[in-house]
Amino acid sequence: MRTALLTSGSFCWTYQPQAVPSQSLVVQSSLEHGTCRTKAENGLVDEEAENFSGILKRRSVLLSAGVSLFSSAVLGFPREGLAVVKQGLLAGRIPGLSEPDEQGWRTYRRPDEKSGGHGVGWSPIIPYLFSVPQDWEEVPVSIADLGGTEIDLRFGSSKEGRLSVIVAPVLRFADNLDGDATIEKIGRPETVINAFGPEVIGENVEGKVMSINVVRDSGRTYYQYELEPPHALITATAAGNRLYLFNVTGSGLQWKRHYKDLKKIANSFRVV
C-alpha cells in the first residue's frame, strides 16, 4: 500500500511492501529537511530500499518544481524561478522593430545586445537593418534549416512571404582579408552568386539568375540578384570578417501578388 500527502511545507511518502518471510522493510522519505532515511527491521538492509529512496528524492524534486510553476501560473504568485524560464525563451531574439511609418512599414535593426557571435574569438556582428510591412514578424530559427547555424534571423508573413539573414565567416572563402572584408574582395557578382546561391536556395543556381544589380551606399557595395523559381531576391555584402546574405522569397502566388513589396524589402537591406 502507498500513501501520499502533499502540503505547502513538506512532502511525505510511505512505502510498505507486503510482508515477506524472514524480512520486513519500511522506507521513509522526507523533504522537510532534505533527507531520506532507510530503515530495515530484523537487522537487514535491502539494496532495493536504498534505490527506491533515491527514486523518491528525484520524484519529489520534480513535484516541487511542478508545484512552484503551478502556483506562479495559476495562483498568480510571483516566483523568481519562473522569470528565469521566461528569459531563457527569449535568448537571441531581442525585439528590434520600429513603430510603423506612414505607409505601415517597420524597420528592423539588429540589436547590439542580441546574442550570436558565430564562434569563439569572433568580434560582435556588425548590425544590419531592413524594412518590412507591419504584419511581418520574427520567427524561430532552426539549425535544420538551409544555412544551419549561420542563419542569424528569420522573418515571415503568411500572406506575403519570408526572409532570412545568413551571416557567415569570410575565412570560409578567403584567408587574406584581415578582418576588413568587402564584397569586391570576395569576388565578382557572378562568382559570389555561383558560390553562395546554393547555400541560400538549396540547389544549383546555374541558369536561374535572371538579373544582377550592383549598388553602392555609404561606402559599401551590395550585389543584388533575382532568381527564377524557386523565386528569390538575394542581397550580398561583406563587413568586418563576415559575409551577409539577405534572402527574400515566396510561393508562386505570393510572388505574383506581392512582388513589389518583396522587391522593396530586398532593396532595403543595409549593414550599418
Side-chain angles (χ1 to χ4, degrees):
M1 177 182 67
R2 294 189 178 93
T3 59
L5 176 61
L6 176 64
T7 68
S8 60
S10 64
F11 169 77
C12 298
W13 186 297
T14 301
Y15 174 79
Q16 294 180 331
Q18 295 179 354
V20 178
S22 74
Q23 182 176 340
S24 175
L25 179 65
V26 177
V27 180
Q28 293 181 331
S29 176
S30 173
L31 288 180
E32 186 173 7
H33 299 93
T35 61
C36 183
R37 300 187 303 275
T38 303
K39 178 177 64 175
E41 296 178 6
N42 299 329
L44 297 177
V45 177
D46 195 328
E47 182 180 357
E48 181 183 355
E50 295 179 352
N51 293 336
F52 182 77
S53 177
I55 293 173
L56 287 179
K57 279 188 175 182
R58 292 192 294 271
R59 289 183 176 176
S60 59
V61 169
L62 292 175
L63 181 57
S64 177
V67 172
S68 175
L69 290 175
F70 176 83
S71 64
S72 300
V74 178
L75 301 181
F77 299 150
R79 300 286 296 187
E80 180 180 348
L82 186 59
V84 173
V85 173
K86 288 183 177 179
Q87 183 176 357
L89 296 174
L90 297 175
R93 299 186 62 213
I94 302 176
L97 278 170
S98 69
E99 292 298 319
D101 61 16
E102 295 178 356
Q103 287 75 41
W105 284 63
R106 299 189 294 176
T107 297
Y108 175 89
R109 183 188 187 279
R110 188 186 195 276
D112 296 331
E113 300 85 2
K114 182 178 178 179
S115 62
H118 297 298
V120 176
W122 288 96
S123 59
I125 293 177
I126 298 175
Y128 52 79
L129 56 83
F130 56 86
S131 297
V132 290
Q134 60 182 345
D135 65 324
W136 284 62
E137 296 180 347
E138 184 177 355
V139 296
V141 173
S142 169
I143 61 174
D145 292 340
L146 293 175
T149 58
E150 292 177 350
I151 295 182
D152 188 62
L153 181 75
R154 279 195 181 278
F155 260 70
S157 163
S158 59
K159 181 177 70 174
E160 295 191 4
R162 58 192 184 276
L163 66 83
S164 64
V165 183
I166 295 177
V167 183
V170 295
L171 289 178
R172 283 179 47 194
F173 325 112
D175 57 5
N176 58 349
L177 297 181
D178 244 358
D180 185 25
T182 65
I183 196 69
E184 297 96 331
K185 291 180 180 179
I186 293 178
R188 296 173 55 82
E190 296 81 6
T191 303
V192 170
I193 191 61
N194 287 333
F196 310 120
E199 185 169 346
V200 176
I201 68 171
E203 59 183 83
N204 198 307
V205 300
E206 185 177 356
K208 295 182 179 295
V209 181
M210 299 176 61
S211 66
I212 298 176
N213 192 31
V214 178
V215 175
R216 286 191 62 82
D217 189 328
S218 302
R220 197 180 307 282
T221 300
Y222 300 83
Y223 295 164
Q224 298 176 336
Y225 309 91
E226 181 172 341
L227 279 64
E228 64 180 10
H231 298 292
L233 295 166
I234 301 173
T235 301
T237 193
N241 52 15
R242 292 182 174 87
L243 172 72
Y244 294 75
L245 296 169
F246 184 69
N247 176 43
V248 180
T249 187
S251 66
L253 184 59
Q254 291 171 331
W255 197 261
K256 181 178 180 180
R257 291 182 175 178
H258 304 287
Y259 175 79
K260 289 184 178 180
D261 281 354
L262 297 175
K263 185 73 171 177
K264 182 177 178 180
I265 294 171
N267 291 344
S268 70
F269 181 75
R270 294 292 182 269
V271 176
V272 297

